[in-house]
């Protein structure tokens, strides 16, 4: 026994195994590893995962909770509990491989309850628990616009896209799209041409770029924006992935602009999702009877989108065009008869020209229902004004 122990120590085998065991333990306790497992479990989608994390306090706590407590959470059924308590070994293996890929390729990770998660997306009910990115991105800039449209874009559609971005380039706006053929590609290319930050949301994993012809474009975007996805590295561009990625495009943005869209398609899905998230929706009209503009015209007819013919229309509706003048001309105002909660909101609005409700939720530790009530009270007193897209400013 002593002989074999000496041999074991002589060749460093003991140290090797000890180091690997410690490394394995650290990996299994990491938030990213546990988030990867949670996103793979059957019967658990983004909404359910969010409920679990909210009820348990953290991703780590979800796996430690007893079955009876999990079953008592509203909206959690026995299939979800069974999935959490009977995790297959291949899920652990896949999570380990994904962590190795993330570390090897210096992939950025964004987990729902962590600080670097985009604030606009965080408040969407079906936001991904976890997504991955590569590049130099700031999702929380003051202005973000999604520009989407058909893959079969006409010269007219591409020219309109380029002109819109050219005219928006003085306003430091992040442009979000999907790296698809057509309008998406035109939006990313024009953004880079005008030195604007642009982010592509992919419908597949980061081991590839689809379409392959946009690889060089994606590489250029890493310096001024980047690429993100909620899909694990080896996921291929299945058709079902693209409607899922469209909700992220809408959720990251203040407004969605549809340049050309057929009667049905991904651009309309993005617009409708944006509408459901209370985003401003804009669309460019085309010729009557043009199939590439049929979807745009239907958005206008259904009162879901505002018709625009130039970037000036977007800037005016979003109240971005006169932002500099408003900041310059605003004078300090005295506020009387305000509660402590109202003071918190007023101080937050003093720091920025306009603040949307999602930003206020992040800045102020106040329940959502209470925040709505206090905002209404301030509006009735004439101290604040509600702008399109649930944004607020001091009067």
């Amino acid at each position: 026994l002593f002989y074999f122990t000496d041999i074991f120590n002589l060749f460093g085998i003991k140290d090797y195994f000890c180091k690997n065991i410690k490394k394995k333990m650290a990996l299994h306790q990491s938030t990213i590893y546990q988030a990867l497992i949670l996103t793979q479990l059957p019967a658990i989608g983004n909404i359910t995962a969010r409920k679990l994390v909210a009820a348990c306090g953290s991703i780590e706590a979800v796996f430690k909770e007893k079955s009876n407590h999990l079953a008592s959470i509203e909206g959690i059924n026995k299939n979800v509990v069974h999935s959490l308590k009977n995790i297959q070994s291949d899920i652990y293996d896949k999570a380990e491989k994904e962590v190795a890929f993330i570390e090897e390729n210096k992939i950025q990770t964004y987990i729902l309850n962590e600080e670097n998660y985009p604030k606009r997306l965080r408040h969407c009910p079906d936001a991904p628990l976890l997504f991955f990115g590569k590049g130099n991105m700031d999702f929380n800039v003051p202005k973000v616009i999604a520009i989407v449209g058909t893959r079969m874009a006409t010269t007219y559609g591409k020219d309109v896209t380029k002109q819109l971005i050219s005219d928006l380039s003085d306003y430091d706006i992040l442009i979000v799209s999907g790296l698809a053929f057509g309008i998406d590609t035109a939006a990313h290319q024009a953004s880079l041409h005008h030195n604007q930050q642009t982010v592509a949301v992919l419908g597949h994993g980061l081991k590839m770029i689809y379409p392959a012809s946009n690889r060089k474009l994606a590489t250029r975007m890493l310096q001024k924006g980047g690429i993100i996805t909620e899909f694990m590295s080896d996921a291929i561009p299945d058709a079902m992935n693209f409607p899922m990625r469209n909700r992220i495009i809408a959720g990251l943005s203040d407004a969605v602009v549809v340049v050309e869209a057929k009667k049905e398609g991904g651009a309309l899905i993005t617009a409708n999702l944006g509408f459901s998230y209370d985003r401003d929706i804009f669309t460019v009209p085309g010729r009557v009877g043009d199939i590439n503009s049929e979807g745009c015209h239907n958005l206008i007819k259904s009162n879901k989108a505002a018709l625009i013919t130039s970037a000036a229309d977007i800037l005016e509706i979003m109240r971005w065009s006169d932002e500099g003048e408003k900041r310059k001309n605003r004078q300090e105002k005295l506020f009387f008869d305000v509660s402590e909660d109202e003071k918190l909101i007023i101080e937050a609005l003093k720091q920025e020209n306009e603040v949307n409700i999602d930003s206020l939720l992040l800045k102020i530790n106040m329940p959502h229902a209470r925040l709505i009530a206090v905002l209404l009270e301030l509006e009735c007193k004439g101290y604040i004004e509600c702008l399109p897209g649930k944004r607020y400013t001091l009067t």
Side-chain angles (χ1 to χ4, degrees):
L1 177 62
F2 290 111
Y3 173 77
F4 284 110
T5 302
D6 289 341
I7 295 294
F8 194 67
N9 290 329
L10 178 66
F11 289 100
I13 299 173
K14 179 181 178 182
D15 289 342
Y16 172 81
F17 276 105
C18 286
K19 285 179 182 177
N20 274 274
I21 290 170
K22 286 180 180 177
K23 187 177 179 181
K24 205 91 163 175
M25 287 175 65
L27 168 65
H28 290 185
Q29 290 170 4
S30 70
T31 304
I32 180 63
Y33 175 78
Q34 296 185 359
L36 283 163
I37 292 172
L38 193 55
T39 57
Q40 293 182 78
L41 294 178
I44 298 177
N46 288 300
I47 295 174
T48 301
R50 187 172 189 143
K51 287 179 182 177
L52 287 165
V53 174
C56 300
S58 68
I59 294 171
E60 296 88 341
V62 171
F63 294 98
K64 296 176 181 177
E65 283 293 347
K66 295 180 179 178
S67 297
N68 59 348
H69 181 251
L70 290 169
S72 69
I73 300 170
E74 185 178 354
I76 304 303
N77 59 38
K78 62 181 181 181
N79 292 331
V80 173
V81 178
H82 181 269
S83 187
L84 281 166
K85 297 302 178 183
N86 296 274
I87 302 173
Q88 301 298 311
S89 60
D90 62 320
I91 290 179
Y92 291 117
D93 294 341
K94 194 172 181 182
E96 285 190 21
K97 289 177 183 176
E98 196 66 18
V99 170
F101 175 83
I102 289 166
E103 292 175 348
E104 182 181 345
N105 294 279
K106 297 181 172 59
I107 304 298
Q108 298 149 25
T109 58
Y110 302 84
I111 299 173
L112 186 64
N113 55 353
E114 293 190 347
E115 191 175 344
N116 69 338
Y117 198 92
K119 62 184 182 182
R120 293 171 180 86
L121 185 61
R122 188 195 305 274
H123 295 292
C124 297
D126 54 355
L129 179 73
L130 164 71
F131 70 91
F132 316 95
K134 189 86 174 168
N136 182 23
M137 297 164 285
D138 181 3
F139 299 107
N140 296 326
V141 293
K143 308 176 189 73
V144 185
I145 289 179
I147 298 182
V148 295
T150 178
R151 286 174 168 81
M152 306 298 290
T154 64
T155 301
Y156 163 75
K158 293 176 184 177
D159 287 345
V160 168
T161 303
K162 292 172 186 176
Q163 190 61 54
L164 285 173
I165 290 174
S166 175
D167 294 341
L168 292 170
S169 60
D170 290 334
Y171 292 85
D172 194 24
I173 298 171
L174 166 61
I175 304 297
V176 180
S177 198
L179 201 67
F181 286 123
I183 298 300
D184 290 20
T185 296
H188 294 307
Q189 288 174 336
S191 298
L192 292 176
H193 179 74
H194 292 284
N195 200 33
Q196 281 184 272
Q197 186 185 185
T198 183
V199 169
V201 186
L202 309 180
H204 52 78
L206 290 176
K207 280 187 178 178
M208 64 177 298
I209 290 295
Y210 176 83
S213 57
N214 274 347
R215 281 178 188 161
K216 287 184 180 179
L217 175 60
T219 301
R220 289 173 57 210
M221 289 170 62
L222 299 182
Q223 303 305 313
K224 190 69 177 180
I227 54 177
I228 65 171
T229 182
E230 69 178 307
F231 300 102
M232 293 177 71
S233 60
D234 57 357
I236 61 174
D238 283 333
M240 61 168 39
N241 293 354
F242 292 96
M244 292 178 66
R245 73 90 189 264
N246 290 342
R247 83 189 193 286
I248 299 178
I249 294 175
L252 286 171
S253 310
D254 296 309
V256 177
V257 179
V258 183
V259 177
E260 282 187 315
K262 296 182 179 180
K263 190 175 182 179
E264 297 177 351
L268 292 187
I269 292 172
T270 306
N272 283 310
L273 285 165
F275 186 79
S276 74
Y277 298 152
D278 292 322
R279 301 320 192 231
D280 287 282
I281 312 298
F282 303 106
T283 191
V284 177
R287 293 176 300 177
V288 173
D290 189 337
I291 61 170
N292 273 345
S293 293
E294 196 172 355
C296 298
H297 296 160
N298 287 341
L299 285 171
I300 295 166
K301 285 192 289 186
S302 63
N303 292 318
K304 288 185 176 179
L307 185 154
I308 60 166
T309 57
S310 68
D313 295 334
I314 299 172
L315 294 169
E316 182 180 353
I317 294 170
M318 298 299 292
R319 301 289 185 94
W320 290 344
S321 56
D322 58 351
E323 183 175 283
E325 285 301 310
K326 289 186 81 170
R327 280 189 180 146
K328 191 196 312 181
N329 296 328
R330 179 179 288 165
Q331 296 178 354
E332 193 66 23
K333 181 176 180 178
L334 296 176
F335 296 92
F336 302 99
D337 189 30
V338 291
S339 67
E340 290 303 312
D341 284 348
E342 289 169 343
K343 285 179 183 176
L344 288 174
I345 292 173
I346 289 168
E347 289 304 314
L349 292 175
K350 281 181 179 179
Q351 295 171 22
E352 296 184 42
N353 183 54
E354 296 173 8
V355 181
N356 63 33
I357 197 162
D358 290 343
S359 296
L360 282 172
L361 282 167
L362 290 175
K363 290 172 178 289
I364 301 169
N365 185 21
M366 189 182 298
H368 184 272
R370 176 62 183 156
L371 178 62
I372 296 295
V374 177
L375 286 168
L376 183 60
E377 184 66 25
L378 282 170
E379 196 174 354
C380 290
K381 290 178 178 179
Y383 289 152
I384 68 171
E385 179 185 358
C386 182
L387 305 174
K390 292 189 177 179
R391 298 187 308 280
Y392 293 86
T393 186
L394 295 174
T395 54

